[in-house]
Amino acid sequence: MKLLREKIQEEGIVLSDGVLKVDSFLNHQIDPILMKEIGSEFARLFKDEGITKIVTIESSGISPAVFAGLELGVKVIFARKRKSLTLTNNLLVSTVYSFTKQEENSIAVSSQFLNTSDRVLIIDDFLANGEAAKGLIEIVKKSGASVQGIGIVIEKSFQKGAGELKDLGYRVESLARIESLTEGKVQFVADQAEVVKA
Amino acid sequence: MKLLREKIQEEGIVLSDGVLKVDSFLNHQIDPILMKEIGSEFARLFKDEGITKIVTIESSGISPAVFAGLELGVKVIFARKRKSLTLTNNLLVSTVYSFTKQEENSIAVSSQFLNTSDRVLIIDDFLANGEAAKGLIEIVKKSGASVQGIGIVIEKSFQKGAGELKDLGYRVESLARIESLTEGKVQFVADQAEVVKA
């Protein structure tokens, strides 16, 4: 998605070889026009999958997910992150390890909002090692619903998440795919790179 | 806002005299069509205030805020909630006490996203005792920007927040105003009640 890649080049800050900060339009400040475009693109990509629900995770997944939900005409559920869970009645729970924050979180969705006939699109802001996506997949499976696809805003293709999810048979659509963040520069995966240079 | 009040009557669950659960369309599952309508209504109400930024708080404030931001043509910043803050460089910070959860959280916004010329609309999902709104006001003031208004999805008018904020001189616009939650029923403030009965 050209608009997104340009935004990443213009405003993204490479903090290290592994960390890209996009606080100016996605993770802290939000650009609603870009989010609408991103939502439309997800809707276009997954329009033939018979999606009935979108599942995302708080907080940065919510904006792209609600715009996709609006276009696909489906509701959006955001999984809640918690340090620990005591009360798990009627909750579908998974555990997610964050490499960036080096901490483990429980994520949870109320079981009443997903059922066996749901065809779910998972949306998230970043895909790196795939921990969050795998946690969301686990939650959807526990509900008996099916995962029809995974929509990612920014994929760090040099980390293992995308490959693993594809190996598991999931359709993963990432709107920007980053090959490397070395030398303080964002390098996109080759098939997208020439569009950025143009 | 009629559509919102109807949705509250249909799907809201009164957990106690003080607590209304709206997990099916606002706080956990999100109804994107309703959120778009809510965003449009905020945009209509505050269109003459020269708004340049919207500030909200994760997670449930984000959906109504991004739709309002899209219509007003401004960016949205969501304050992050944290148990504690060690690194506060370049952060505008406030402390918010949650009566519901009986815990104190730090909330923070990066100082780079607000400046003295900004005219801010604060948006949040609920207004009860006003703790979150006052925390957001404090953050905006620390940046030197001005608060032009406060847009609330659901106001619990029987708690002190709305009155206090108005006494402080702020324009507060709440799309649904609840007078009481006694006997397991949602009673709206009188000037709106007849619309619901109609």
Side-chain angles (χ1 to χ4, degrees):
Chain A
M1 191 182 165
K2 188 163 177 270
L3 184 66
L4 173 62
R5 289 193 299 271
E6 287 171 352
K7 196 86 166 183
I8 292 169
Q9 288 289 18
E10 282 162 22
E11 300 186 16
I13 297 167
V14 178
L15 290 183
S16 71
D17 285 2
V19 182
L20 171 70
K21 199 173 171 181
V22 288
D23 268 11
S24 72
F25 61 88
L26 181 59
N27 294 138
H28 184 25
Q29 181 171 256
I30 299 169
D31 180 336
I33 298 170
L34 180 63
M35 291 305 126
K36 182 175 188 288
E37 294 297 321
I38 285 171
S40 297
E41 183 65 5
F42 284 137
R44 190 185 67 77
L45 288 164
F46 292 101
K47 67 177 190 305
D48 298 325
E49 301 286 354
I51 304 299
T52 62
K53 285 272 167 69
I54 291 174
V55 171
T56 185
I57 188 166
E58 61 183 355
S59 291
S60 299
I62 295 175
S63 300
V66 289
F67 283 112
L70 186 68
E71 290 230 10
L72 287 170
V74 301
K75 289 184 179 166
V76 173
I77 302 157
F78 63 90
R80 292 204 168 270
K81 271 181 224 170
R82 298 173 199 192
K83 267 279 167 303
S84 63
L85 275 168
T86 43
L87 199 73
T88 57
N89 274 353
N90 306 317
L91 284 183
L92 305 163
V93 180
S94 180
T95 303
V96 171
Y97 180 74
S98 165
F99 288 88
T100 321
K101 294 181 186 167
Q102 303 210 330
E103 62 179 25
E104 213 166 60
N105 275 296
S106 294
I107 63 170
V109 165
S110 292
S111 54
Q112 63 183 305
F113 298 127
L114 284 174
N115 63 60
T116 52
S117 62
D118 274 322
R119 297 168 63 89
V120 174
L121 170 61
I122 289 173
I123 286 183
D124 205 5
D125 56 339
F126 268 95
L127 175 60
N129 288 296
E131 292 293 312
K134 282 179 219 160
L136 293 174
I137 290 170
E138 188 188 349
I139 281 175
V140 173
K141 284 193 164 179
K142 280 184 179 173
S143 78
S146 63
V147 175
Q148 294 301 312
I150 300 165
I152 297 294
V153 181
I154 302 175
E155 171 189 309
K156 294 195 278 187
S157 310
F158 56 90
Q159 289 180 273
K160 66 183 166 84
E164 285 184 0
L165 293 173
K166 285 172 191 171
D167 287 346
L168 288 168
Y170 294 105
R171 180 179 170 197
V172 180
E173 296 284 356
S174 303
L175 305 190
R177 298 173 63 220
I178 294 174
E179 188 172 84
S180 89
L181 293 170
T182 51
E183 294 172 19
K185 278 184 194 161
V186 179
Q187 186 78 39
F188 292 100
V189 172
D191 60 302
Q192 302 181 324
E194 66 283 5
V195 185
V196 174
K197 282 175 199 154
Chain B
M1 190 183 167
K2 188 164 177 270
L3 184 66
L4 173 62
R5 290 193 298 273
E6 287 171 351
K7 195 86 167 180
I8 293 169
Q9 289 289 20
E10 282 162 24
E11 298 187 16
I13 298 167
V14 179
L15 289 183
S16 71
D17 285 3
V19 181
L20 172 69
K21 199 174 172 181
V22 288
D23 268 10
S24 71
F25 60 87
L26 180 60
N27 294 138
H28 184 24
Q29 180 171 256
I30 300 169
D31 180 338
I33 298 169
L34 179 64
M35 291 306 125
K36 182 174 190 285
E37 294 297 320
I38 285 171
S40 297
E41 182 65 6
F42 283 138
R44 191 186 66 78
L45 288 164
F46 292 102
K47 68 179 189 305
D48 298 326
E49 300 287 353
I51 303 299
T52 63
K53 285 273 166 69
I54 292 174
V55 172
T56 186
I57 186 166
E58 60 182 355
S59 292
S60 299
I62 295 174
S63 300
V66 288
F67 283 112
L70 185 69
E71 289 230 10
L72 287 169
V74 302
K75 289 185 179 164
V76 173
I77 302 156
F78 63 91
R80 292 205 167 269
K81 273 182 222 171
R82 298 174 200 195
K83 267 281 167 300
S84 64
L85 274 169
T86 43
L87 200 73
T88 58
N89 274 353
N90 306 316
L91 285 183
L92 306 162
V93 180
S94 180
T95 303
V96 170
Y97 180 75
S98 164
F99 287 88
T100 321
K101 295 181 185 166
Q102 303 211 331
E103 61 178 27
E104 214 166 59
N105 276 297
S106 294
I107 63 171
V109 165
S110 292
S111 55
Q112 62 181 307
F113 298 126
L114 285 174
N115 64 60
T116 53
S117 62
D118 273 322
R119 298 167 62 88
V120 175
L121 170 60
I122 289 172
I123 286 183
D124 206 5
D125 57 337
F126 268 94
L127 175 59
N129 288 296
E131 291 293 311
K134 282 180 219 161
L136 292 174
I137 290 169
E138 188 188 350
I139 280 175
V140 174
K141 284 191 162 178
K142 279 183 181 174
S143 77
S146 64
V147 175
Q148 294 302 311
I150 300 164
I152 298 293
V153 181
I154 303 175
E155 172 188 309
K156 295 195 277 187
S157 309
F158 56 91
Q159 288 179 273
K160 66 186 168 78
E164 285 184 2
L165 292 172
K166 285 171 191 171
D167 287 348
L168 288 167
Y170 294 105
R171 180 180 170 196
V172 180
E173 297 283 356
S174 304
L175 305 190
R177 298 173 63 222
I178 294 173
E179 189 173 81
S180 89
L181 293 170
T182 51
E183 295 172 15
K185 278 186 196 159
V186 179
Q187 186 79 39
F188 292 102
V189 172
D191 60 302
Q192 304 180 322
E194 66 281 8
V195 185
V196 174
K197 282 176 199 156

